[in-house]
Amino acid sequence: MAQTPLITLTTDFGTTDGYVGTMKGVILGIVPDARLVDLSHEVAPRDVRGAAYVLYAAYPFFPSHTVHLVVVDPGVGSARRPIALRTPAGFFVGPDNGVFSYVMACEPLEASAVLADPCYRLPRISHTFHGRDVFAPAAAHLAAGVPITDLGPPVADPVVFPPPRLEIASRGIVGEVLHVDRFGNVVTSVGELIWAGDDLAFRPAFGKARGGTQDAEHGIVAADTAVEMAGQEVAGVRRTYAEVEPGEMLALVGSSGHLEIAVREGSAAERLGVRPGDKVVLRF
Amino acid sequence: MAQTPLITLTTDFGTTDGYVGTMKGVILGIVPDARLVDLSHEVAPRDVRGAAYVLYAAYPFFPSHTVHLVVVDPGVGSARRPIALRTPAGFFVGPDNGVFSYVMACEPLEASAVLADPCYRLPRISHTFHGRDVFAPAAAHLAAGVPITDLGPPVADPVVFPPPRLEIASRGIVGEVLHVDRFGNVVTSVGELIWAGDDLAFRPAFGKARGGTQDAEHGIVAADTAVEMAGQEVAGVRRTYAEVEPGEMLALVGSSGHLEIAVREGSAAERLGVRPGDKVVLRF
Amino acid sequence: MAQTPLITLTTDFGTTDGYVGTMKGVILGIVPDARLVDLSHEVAPRDVRGAAYVLYAAYPFFPSHTVHLVVVDPGVGSARRPIALRTPAGFFVGPDNGVFSYVMACEPLEASAVLADPCYRLPRISHTFHGRDVFAPAAAHLAAGVPITDLGPPVADPVVFPPPRLEIASRGIVGEVLHVDRFGNVVTSVGELIWAGDDLAFRPAFGKARGGTQDAEHGIVAADTAVEMAGQEVAGVRRTYAEVEPGEMLALVGSSGHLEIAVREGSAAERLGVRPGDKVVLRF
């Protein structure tokens, strides 16, 4: 591989204990010229869906030879399989627990491997830190150009969890809260939305939305629609925070193309008291 | 550019959501061999002055070809301009909201650009994440050697906020709290102070201090002067923590050459209850 | 040195203030192609033993040309010496305050230096930030291939703190809590333990355990032994979290080969109310 090897890391390890640094030591021992980029190590402990979202929002902005290493692994040491996936948008390495579900809803799977070959693991495998002993070496070898098929047999039926709620009804689109970010912005499953003049073009983000017709699925939504969440109604989808006063709530198309609820210079999540999974309605 | 491209990143994004990693993906897609250094992503949300201080304390220690990328951008999506500045001490990329004020008080401006040329942005620009879509690409292209003048027209009148309070009176120097660090050390605007034997040489840190004479401005301050803050008085400026007992308060010249108030093995900020902007007096 | 220069950083600086980034600027000014890996910057302020543990768990997984830079330095500005050590497992740079005690209990010392030569420091040395002015330059020069003997005279009697409690009695092994990680897992001094079939081979982790016979020291421990901590008893040492139900406490061999107490999908440290230094007994 002529490109500079590039590996991203996403874990629930935090940055206090040195676990992430240890994985990087293993990687750089195998591929000394690798570039390493942290996506997040503050995924809530064991929050596989949270990690899936972080990866989903970030991976499209990386070169297509990037290896994305994700270790949010509540089943470490159990029978859950360690896997690697190859797509046109990059490689993905981690436990087979659904953490790649959102990526797989967007990218075709070209090849895959259960990480079975001991040549591509550390010599001694602990029972509790496969990030270091199994996943980091696999990511490093992939970044160094080892073909994915060398790592082990293909993955039959990788674990995929149900896509986030996204239903198209006659009177609107029903979705759910996907993520609350550091600023208290509430990212929903309602996307992908793209500004088309003064209206919004809608394309279901995670494969085919349920309940919809072809027209609605690739349809146009008026930007002056109402958004309902947690019993509150926000009128209209705005382009920027600057269109409302500080402290005011607004709906807008976030940076990942999803409908977001925000408070300018404040926290919408706190104001609304919502969490991932809570319902949102974009009402026509 | 023969040097290894080097880019620092300072934001208020936190490290939970993957926003910073996404910017790095964009950068490495443009300049694969760039070195990336995080200054801070824990700037308080929308705290432009806080970011300005972090940058001010760090940039002198980087090579002069470094590109410093700062995204603390409460006006994202509004009319505020995205800009790049070139100085003898490095390049600076970010929103035109005053975040480079402290740097510009210390470094001559050689060239500048409003980031207007679409060739040096991502193809699709979101309304809420110019860090990813506008600033990261500009920083990457600058680091790769693109002349700053290619990015857009020069910046007329970049936003600069008033320098921190620093007044020289007959009986002392009046300043303000600039920053409280992780240890609770209170960094003030009173600087730059340099030990000269047993006395302190004083040179106004941010251009010309108000109210002073030429002598006072580049003068000598006795180290046994008194420091007043929040109604407490600390006698003398010490060289090191070790000169007082654990738990005792002291004044000293901090690592950026500014007067600091600290408690050995404790938090001066907590003890004094002070915040940025609060008054400090170095009394002759 | 033909290898890519590689430096790890461990501090108690946090990541809010830009101190770590500043050290990286100094390093990259000296050795532009260095790879930099953060182990932890969230060591508790002035917690030298905490830093020693983070380093101890991570360094074996790095290439042997790595320079490990540690700045947890409550004595900065006092007479404590700045030092560098060379071992077969890497270089270590930091204050002479015991922070390398655990490493030195495991690795032979090949060479050492008090960082006295001004050529390998910044031109101006602050009294409060030797991480930037003394330690970062030394680490950079070592990574660039400067012989350790050039940095200064050898270190006579480096400070070493007493090893963690680890006593072998007729009825069991008595140790102490070494570390509590992000997940609330309680890492003890009882190690190194290695699974040997259904039993555990025991080899004292920090040199020679006190009170033991040769047999016991390199002996075999039945895995169905009992573990006592904070008045609670856990029956048996398990291989993985998956062997108990969620919320249940278990003992297992952690990723560093030490006995750990954990709660599946919970925090053992919170459940037990233990802290570093608290007693643990592995009862035969």
Side-chain angles (χ1 to χ4, degrees):
Chain A
M1 187 173 294
Q3 289 112 333
T4 307
L6 176 53
I7 299 173
T8 76
L9 298 96
T10 303
T11 75
D12 60 354
F13 292 170
T15 53
T16 301
D17 297 305
Y19 295 135
V20 172
T22 302
M23 291 200 301
K24 293 179 178 174
V26 170
I27 290 171
L28 293 171
I30 294 167
V31 54
D33 58 335
R35 300 296 156 126
L36 304 175
V37 172
D38 300 303
L39 293 187
S40 175
H41 302 296
E42 304 300 333
V43 172
R46 300 174 295 280
D47 181 6
V48 175
R49 279 183 180 267
Y53 176 77
V54 166
L55 184 65
Y56 164 75
Y59 84 87
F61 295 90
F62 281 82
S64 63
H65 68 284
T66 305
V67 179
H68 298 281
L69 169 58
V70 184
V71 191
V72 177
D73 191 15
V76 62
S78 73
R80 72 90 190 89
R81 297 171 298 184
I83 62 171
L85 308 174
R86 196 183 80 207
T87 77
F91 296 85
F92 299 86
V93 174
D96 181 32
N97 61 13
V99 76
F100 303 122
S101 295
Y102 298 166
V103 171
M104 291 171 69
C106 302
E107 305 293 336
L109 187 60
E110 294 178 336
S112 67
V114 177
L115 305 175
D117 191 321
C119 296
Y120 302 109
R121 300 172 157 209
L122 291 196
R124 201 195 325 169
I125 308 293
S126 71
H127 291 286
T128 58
F129 195 2
H130 288 189
R132 179 190 70 192
D133 305 333
V134 176
F135 297 118
H141 287 293
L142 284 173
V146 169
I148 191 169
T149 48
D150 284 12
L151 301 184
V155 185
D157 291 322
V159 171
V160 174
F161 41 66
R165 182 176 187 178
L166 184 58
E167 298 164 6
I168 300 178
S170 56
R171 295 178 47 205
I173 303 172
V174 182
E176 65 176 85
V177 175
L178 269 190
H179 182 70
V180 172
D181 77 8
R182 175 202 202 190
F183 298 92
N185 299 323
V186 177
V187 184
T188 77
S189 62
V190 178
E192 185 180 4
L193 296 170
I194 302 168
W195 284 99
D198 283 341
D199 286 323
L200 293 161
F202 173 68
R203 186 171 65 95
F206 301 103
K208 208 176 156 59
R210 281 167 292 169
T213 66
Q214 186 68 25
D215 275 2
E217 281 176 26
H218 297 80
I220 295 292
V221 178
D224 63 355
T225 184
V227 178
E228 282 175 29
M229 182 183 287
Q232 290 222 30
E233 184 167 310
V234 181
V237 179
R238 310 298 181 105
R239 284 173 194 268
T240 77
Y241 302 112
E243 290 181 41
V244 302
E245 296 301 309
E248 208 176 317
M249 187 144 39
L250 73 159
L252 76 173
V253 180
S255 58
S256 58
H258 285 248
L259 183 72
E260 286 186 24
I261 310 297
V263 166
R264 182 175 171 192
E265 299 178 20
S267 166
E270 208 169 272
R271 178 89 57 93
L272 293 166
V274 294
R275 302 193 308 178
D278 287 355
K279 181 178 168 183
V280 60
V281 181
L282 184 69
R283 199 149 41 73
F284 299 151
Chain B
M1 186 173 296
Q3 288 112 333
T4 307
L6 176 54
I7 298 174
T8 76
L9 298 97
T10 304
T11 75
D12 60 352
F13 292 169
T15 52
T16 302
D17 298 304
Y19 296 134
V20 172
T22 302
M23 291 200 301
K24 293 179 178 174
V26 170
I27 290 171
L28 294 171
I30 295 167
V31 52
D33 58 335
R35 300 297 157 126
L36 304 175
V37 172
D38 299 304
L39 293 187
S40 176
H41 301 296
E42 305 300 333
V43 173
R46 299 173 295 280
D47 182 5
V48 175
R49 278 183 180 266
Y53 176 77
V54 166
L55 184 64
Y56 164 76
Y59 84 87
F61 294 91
F62 281 82
S64 63
H65 68 283
T66 305
V67 179
H68 298 282
L69 168 58
V70 184
V71 191
V72 177
D73 191 15
V76 62
S78 73
R80 73 89 190 89
R81 298 171 298 184
I83 62 172
L85 308 174
R86 196 184 80 208
T87 78
F91 297 84
F92 298 87
V93 174
D96 181 32
N97 60 13
V99 75
F100 303 122
S101 295
Y102 298 166
V103 171
M104 290 172 70
C106 301
E107 303 294 336
L109 186 60
E110 293 178 337
S112 67
V114 177
L115 305 175
D117 190 321
C119 296
Y120 302 109
R121 299 171 158 211
L122 291 196
R124 200 193 326 169
I125 308 293
S126 71
H127 291 285
T128 57
F129 195 2
H130 288 189
R132 179 191 69 192
D133 304 334
V134 176
F135 297 118
H141 286 293
L142 284 173
V146 170
I148 190 170
T149 48
D150 284 12
L151 301 184
V155 185
D157 291 322
V159 173
V160 175
F161 41 67
R165 181 175 188 178
L166 185 57
E167 297 163 8
I168 301 179
S170 56
R171 295 177 46 204
I173 302 172
V174 182
E176 65 175 86
V177 174
L178 270 189
H179 182 71
V180 172
D181 79 6
R182 170 195 208 196
F183 297 92
N185 298 325
V186 177
V187 184
T188 77
S189 61
V190 180
E192 186 181 4
L193 297 170
I194 302 168
W195 283 100
D198 282 342
D199 286 323
L200 293 160
F202 173 66
R203 187 171 64 96
F206 301 103
K208 206 175 157 63
R210 282 167 291 168
T213 67
Q214 185 67 27
D215 274 3
E217 279 177 26
H218 297 81
I220 294 292
V221 178
D224 62 355
T225 186
V227 179
E228 283 175 30
M229 182 182 287
Q232 290 222 28
E233 186 167 310
V234 181
V237 179
R238 310 299 182 104
R239 285 172 192 269
T240 75
Y241 303 112
E243 290 181 41
V244 302
E245 295 302 309
E248 208 176 316
M249 187 144 39
L250 73 158
L252 76 172
V253 179
S255 58
S256 58
H258 285 248
L259 183 72
E260 286 187 23
I261 310 298
V263 166
R264 183 176 170 189
E265 298 179 21
S267 167
E270 207 170 274
R271 179 90 55 95
L272 293 165
V274 294
R275 302 194 307 179
D278 287 355
K279 182 177 166 183
V280 61
V281 181
L282 184 69
R283 198 148 42 72
F284 298 153
Chain C
M1 186 173 294
Q3 290 113 332
T4 307
L6 177 53
I7 299 174
T8 76
L9 298 96
T10 304
T11 75
D12 60 354
F13 292 170
T15 52
T16 301
D17 297 304
Y19 295 134
V20 172
T22 301
M23 291 200 301
K24 293 179 179 174
V26 170
I27 291 170
L28 293 172
I30 295 166
V31 53
D33 58 334
R35 300 297 157 127
L36 303 175
V37 172
D38 300 304
L39 292 187
S40 175
H41 302 295
E42 305 299 334
V43 172
R46 301 174 293 280
D47 181 6
V48 175
R49 278 182 181 269
Y53 176 76
V54 166
L55 185 64
Y56 164 76
Y59 84 87
F61 294 91
F62 282 82
S64 63
H65 69 284
T66 305
V67 178
H68 299 280
L69 169 57
V70 184
V71 191
V72 177
D73 190 15
V76 61
S78 74
R80 72 89 191 87
R81 298 171 298 185
I83 61 172
L85 308 174
R86 197 184 79 208
T87 77
F91 296 85
F92 299 86
V93 174
D96 181 32
N97 61 13
V99 75
F100 304 122
S101 296
Y102 298 166
V103 171
M104 290 172 69
C106 302
E107 304 294 336
L109 186 61
E110 293 178 337
S112 66
V114 177
L115 304 175
D117 191 322
C119 296
Y120 302 109
R121 298 171 157 210
L122 291 197
R124 201 193 326 169
I125 307 293
S126 71
H127 291 286
T128 57
F129 195 3
H130 288 189
R132 179 191 70 191
D133 305 333
V134 176
F135 297 118
H141 287 292
L142 284 173
V146 169
I148 191 169
T149 49
D150 284 12
L151 301 184
V155 185
D157 291 322
V159 172
V160 174
F161 41 67
R165 182 175 188 178
L166 184 57
E167 297 163 7
I168 301 178
S170 57
R171 295 177 47 206
I173 303 172
V174 181
E176 65 175 84
V177 174
L178 270 190
H179 182 71
V180 172
D181 78 8
R182 172 197 206 195
F183 298 92
N185 298 324
V186 178
V187 184
T188 77
S189 62
V190 178
E192 186 179 4
L193 296 170
I194 302 167
W195 284 99
D198 284 341
D199 286 323
L200 293 160
F202 173 67
R203 186 173 64 97
F206 301 104
K208 206 174 157 62
R210 281 168 291 169
T213 67
Q214 185 67 26
D215 274 4
E217 280 176 25
H218 297 80
I220 294 291
V221 179
D224 63 355
T225 185
V227 178
E228 281 175 31
M229 182 183 286
Q232 290 223 29
E233 185 166 312
V234 181
V237 179
R238 310 297 181 105
R239 285 173 192 268
T240 77
Y241 303 111
E243 289 181 42
V244 301
E245 295 301 310
E248 207 175 316
M249 187 144 38
L250 72 158
L252 75 174
V253 180
S255 57
S256 57
H258 285 248
L259 183 71
E260 287 187 23
I261 310 297
V263 167
R264 183 176 171 190
E265 299 179 19
S267 166
E270 206 169 274
R271 177 89 56 94
L272 293 166
V274 293
R275 301 193 309 177
D278 287 355
K279 182 177 167 182
V280 61
V281 181
L282 184 70
R283 198 148 43 72
F284 300 151

